Amino acid sequence: MTDIAYLDIIGGVSGDMLLSAMLDVGLCKAELENELTKIVPGSFRLETTDTTRGSITATHLDVVLGDDVDERMGWQEFEDCIDASKLPDHDCAKIRAVFKCLRVAEAEAHSVQEGKSHLHELGTLDTLIDIAGAVIGMRLLGIGTLCASSFPASTGMSSSSHGKNASIAPATMAIIKNAEIPVRVGGYSQPAGESITPTGAAILATLAKFKPSTMSVETVGYGAGTKQNDTPPNVVGLWLGQSVNESSFHEVAKYIGASVQSDVFLVETNIDDMTGEEVGHAMSELFDSGALDVWVTPIQMKKSRPAVIISAIANQNDLTRVTAAYFKRTSTLGVRVRQLDRFVADRESVSVETEYGPIRVKLRKIGGAVTQTAPEYDDCARIASQHGILLRQVMESARKAASVHLSNQDASSEH
């Protein structure tokens, strides 16, 4: 049972190489295409061919767009596709995070405001397919943790619509710096020209971790890039397997109908010399820096001094900013960081009609069955203020509407 994967970045990596490797290890092309139709506007198809790079047999993917497709896209068009997507919420969140990484890097590379950079090579439907496909592929393959090797530092130059560049494009280098991705420099044959694309770098900066892991390997596949380079071979290897000593986690996950993810970090520190107001301000700053959750626990330290632990949960992509916020906004001299495994229930967000108007409700699913409905607080608080009624009254109306919505769905499925 697959739960962990390792990317062996041999000759480089791009979005299409990642998808090629996933297809090579057994990802169903028809299933991937079907999921992509939930976010990609217009018609397309995925064409794969068996090929070799050096002595390595690999899969190469081509995306063929239909005549009805407007291939050129901008940042807003990408965002609109995500907003209109019918993919699961957790897929959309990851896709949006990859685009955020890419958008920040492009702005930094071209010294413009975020979201104002002009897209050239990246402004195509292929970029959406690459990013969404990588997220979908991880879900379909059951990859909870994605590990990756260091990036190879290529030699020579690359070309783009901006003109001649270094072999590592400015946007790619910005991603490498911002995400602190390790790079292999010298010592053996390096790939020539651009070997790491901005899209490939953004996907891995967001979805992968570059730290040692232990796994038992079950399946190995390779995705080939378009260039025919064989020194080193222009491929990325994908190993699927099982985390060593993690089987008990997956037995629990299977029993409760949840997935195991190892994509968050706990950051915390002990504080005994800050006022309550200062601690509250620090919590707000941690949320602003990207923390998923922040809380304070009262403790007693040496000499029986009262103190608190300030704890935060952060995604890997936000870990640097969250940790920096501790040093900027608290009196700490050090923080503790550790990676966490977590059980994550499937969830879906729906909009239901109530007597007060539409309200979003989050549905928690266990084993495919809805076990909890949670009205969105912001929607309910806004409506309660507008109508001058109790928040509890609005939330109860949303829960009743969600119950009706689910009953109608069950009735439809029976027919």
Side-chain angles (χ1 to χ4, degrees), residues 110 121 156-170 193:
H110 302 294
E121 288 83 3
M157 295 184 297
S158 63
S159 297
S160 71
S161 55
H162 296 285
K164 293 292 184 181
N165 276 321
S167 57
I168 299 180

Side-chain angles (χ1 to χ4, degrees), residues 253-273:
K254 184 178 180 180
Y255 181 76
I256 64 175
S259 62
V260 177
Q261 297 181 7
S262 304
D263 57 353
V264 295
F265 292 79
L266 172 65
V267 188
E268 59 184 15
T269 189
N270 297 1
I271 296 292
D272 65 357
D273 58 354

Side-chain angles (χ1 to χ4, degrees), residues 178-328:
N178 294 341
E180 300 180 353
I181 296 174
V183 179
R184 308 191 298 267
V185 181
Y188 48 88
S189 179
Q190 302 289 90
E194 185 179 34
S195 63
I196 308 292
T197 67
T199 301
I203 292 171
L204 295 190
T206 307
L207 304 180
K209 65 175 186 176
F210 298 85
K211 291 187 176 182
S213 293
T214 304
M215 63 182 289
S216 57
V217 179
E218 298 171 350
T219 309
V220 177
Y222 295 92
T226 302
K227 293 180 182 178
Q228 297 291 331
N229 299 355
D230 58 4
T231 53
N234 186 26
V235 296
V236 61
L238 179 61
W239 308 356
L240 301 184
Q242 180 75 27
S243 301
V244 175
N245 298 325
E246 294 293 330
S247 58
S248 59
F249 280 97
H250 292 277
E251 290 175 4
V252 174
K254 184 178 180 180
Y255 181 76
I256 64 175
S259 62
V260 177
Q261 297 181 7
S262 304
D263 57 353
V264 295
F265 292 79
L266 172 65
V267 188
E268 59 184 15
T269 189
N270 297 1
I271 296 292
D272 65 357
D273 58 354
M274 291 174 60
T275 66
E277 292 86 354
E278 290 171 328
V279 170
H281 178 67
M283 292 178 67
S284 178
E285 291 292 319
L286 287 168
F287 274 119
D288 289 343
S289 68
L292 300 174
D293 199 4
V294 182
W295 66 95
V296 173
T297 307
I299 59 171
Q300 278 192 300
M301 293 175 59
K302 58 186 177 182
K303 300 181 181 178
S304 300
R305 288 199 300 264
V308 296
I309 301 174
I310 302 178
S311 306
I313 298 291
N315 283 319
Q316 180 175 334
N317 202 43
D318 297 316
L319 182 59
T320 299
R321 290 189 294 275
V322 170
T323 303
Y326 272 90
F327 288 98
K328 291 178 181 178

